[in-house]
Amino acid sequence: MIVDFRSDTVTRPTEAMREAMARAPVGDDVFGDDPTVNALQERVAREAGKEAALLVPSGTMANQLALRAQTSAGDEVLLHARSHILNYEGGGAAAISGLLCRAIDSADGALDGARLSSLVHDGLDPHHAPTRLLCLENTHNGCGGVVVPHASLAVAAQAARASGLRTHLDGARLWNALAVTGQSLREAAAPFDTVSLCFSKGLGAPVGSILVGDHSTIARAHRFRKMLGGGMRQAGILAAAADHALTHHRARLAEDHRRADVLARALGELPAAGVEYGPLHTNLVYFTVDAAHPLRRDGDLVVASAAEHGVLITGGGGRYRAALHLDVTNDGLTHAIDVLRRLLV
Ligand SMILES: Cc1ncc(COP(=O)(O)O)c(C=O)c1O
């Protein structure tokens, strides 16, 4: 049995999703002619309480378009030191938008409003790059997949706005956060000018993310999507999968969180392992293995040994990640826990 915990992006479309894709009316979306794409964009914009939305191939493109559409080359952007935008998007902020990224760290993904305000350069002193945009992330992958409390995000966004900055939320896994808090997407999106959301992670669609915001920002993002080669033609088959996922897979995210909890508790009982897990955690379980453990003493063999027994995880150097998702069953979870118990005694 293979249990693939490497990411929540490894899921395969269900039969029902494939049927929805096959049935979808399509057109050329670069001409704005695809009714299924248009309906999805309208649906998500409405649910997020924003004027417009743009379907894009990936979360990375949604974030990069948000940067490009709301800044000019030479501007500064404030973001979290462990954010996806800073660390895992190939240097796109510099290469695509010519931005200076100023990173601020915290253990829990939250950024202090007063601290942010004190860092803003208003552009009057020519020595400094003018600060134009604040980017936050929820759930926060680099901080362990935690839900960042809405109140702290709202205070940070408010401080940024008061200093004249635009605000973007990387909400690749915002659906997971909402499954924990019970908050509506509209409420979660309200403090931000733009929000990116992914359909291809916990929701289980094969491809697709979306950027929501006001008409003029989304119109600019649309232009840059074309420039970067992100215009897709009969994308309705992808929009249909995303729409199906939104309708049918949101409620079940709580199951992934429950299974993550079971896995975290089991790992927590192993003397050689430490678990980063608490009440605000979602579908990502980060854990550590002691340096003195036989699987770490002569090079890191944790990932390879688990894989030999059909349990696929990521990480290294003592810190590892297991992502729970649609394709992990209770049997798979039981098998994985057995394997990890045997390996990490
Ligand atoms: C927080 C966060 N933002 C953005 C992305 C990028 O998404 P994609 O892989 O679709 O480009 C990811 C991917 O895992 C992510 O974790």
Side-chain angles (χ1 to χ4, degrees):
M1 176 186 263
I2 304 285
V3 188
D4 194 345
F5 287 135
R6 287 172 302 162
S7 174
D8 47 10
T9 56
V10 301
T11 57
R12 293 179 173 84
T14 61
E15 276 310 310
M17 184 180 278
R18 285 172 189 264
E19 275 167 33
M21 296 170 79
R23 277 198 315 269
V26 295
D28 189 330
D29 182 51
V30 173
F31 294 148
D33 280 354
D34 192 302
T36 312
V37 170
N38 292 339
L40 176 72
Q41 291 176 163
E42 282 159 26
R43 173 183 180 179
V44 179
R46 190 175 58 249
E47 289 182 12
K50 301 295 187 207
E51 290 174 358
L54 185 69
L55 180 68
V56 294
S58 68
T60 299
M61 186 176 278
N63 285 335
Q64 293 301 322
L65 293 182
L67 298 182
R68 187 67 182 82
Q70 298 181 93
T71 59
S72 303
D75 287 348
E76 180 178 72
V77 54
L78 300 180
L79 32 62
H80 195 279
R82 307 178 207 182
S83 62
H84 195 276
I85 293 177
L86 181 64
N87 295 291
Y88 304 111
E89 300 193 2
I96 297 168
S97 300
L99 295 173
L100 175 64
C101 289
R102 181 181 292 231
I104 312 153
D105 204 8
S106 73
D108 59 2
L111 294 180
D112 178 66
R115 172 105 202 280
L116 287 173
S117 306
S118 75
L119 293 173
V120 171
H121 294 127
D122 58 14
L124 297 177
D125 181 339
H127 291 90
H128 300 306
T131 318
R132 298 280 187 226
L133 179 68
L134 169 69
C135 295
L136 296 171
E137 186 175 312
N138 197 18
T139 63
H140 204 295
N141 189 352
C143 290
V146 290
V147 178
V148 185
H150 179 76
S152 83
L153 293 171
V155 167
Q158 183 48 40
R161 280 184 163 170
S163 301
L165 272 57
R166 304 276 296 183
T167 55
H168 171 67
L169 179 69
D170 176 352
R173 293 187 183 79
L174 187 58
W175 315 111
N176 293 83
L178 302 182
V180 172
T181 61
Q183 199 179 32
S184 69
L185 177 58
R186 174 182 290 262
E187 232 183 310
F192 301 97
D193 294 304
T194 53
V195 180
S196 56
L197 298 150
C198 290
F199 303 113
S200 61
K201 302 203 163 60
L203 288 184
V207 179
S209 294
I210 203 159
L211 182 68
V212 296
D214 60 82
H215 282 305
S216 75
T217 305
I218 295 301
R220 277 173 66 76
H222 197 163
R223 173 167 169 250
F224 294 120
R225 183 185 74 172
K226 182 67 187 149
M227 192 190 280
L228 295 174
M232 300 180 285
R233 302 294 177 173
Q234 286 71 30
I237 53 171
L238 301 177
D243 188 68
H244 178 90
L246 262 185
T247 304
H248 298 285
H249 294 172
R250 263 191 81 178
R252 64 153 308 286
L253 290 173
E255 263 179 62
D256 295 338
H257 300 172
R258 186 190 59 75
R259 291 195 180 106
D261 210 51
V262 172
L263 177 62
R265 282 171 201 280
L267 287 166
E269 286 166 7
L270 305 178
V275 193
E276 301 167 21
Y277 205 77
L280 291 178
H281 285 74
T282 53
N283 66 323
L284 306 178
V285 179
Y286 282 84
F287 63 99
T288 55
V289 175
D290 295 346
H293 190 276
L295 289 180
R296 285 208 54 215
R297 262 202 313 257
D298 307 311
D300 193 336
L301 300 174
V302 174
V303 171
S305 305
E308 271 171 30
H309 293 84
V311 178
L312 310 185
I313 56 172
T314 55
R319 189 169 184 254
Y320 312 90
R321 189 184 84 169
L324 280 292
H325 53 74
L326 186 62
D327 289 354
V328 176
T329 60
N330 283 335
D331 285 350
L333 179 62
T334 305
H335 171 70
I337 289 173
D338 282 350
V339 167
L340 293 171
R341 274 194 183 126
R342 268 186 279 127
L343 289 177
L344 301 179
V345 283

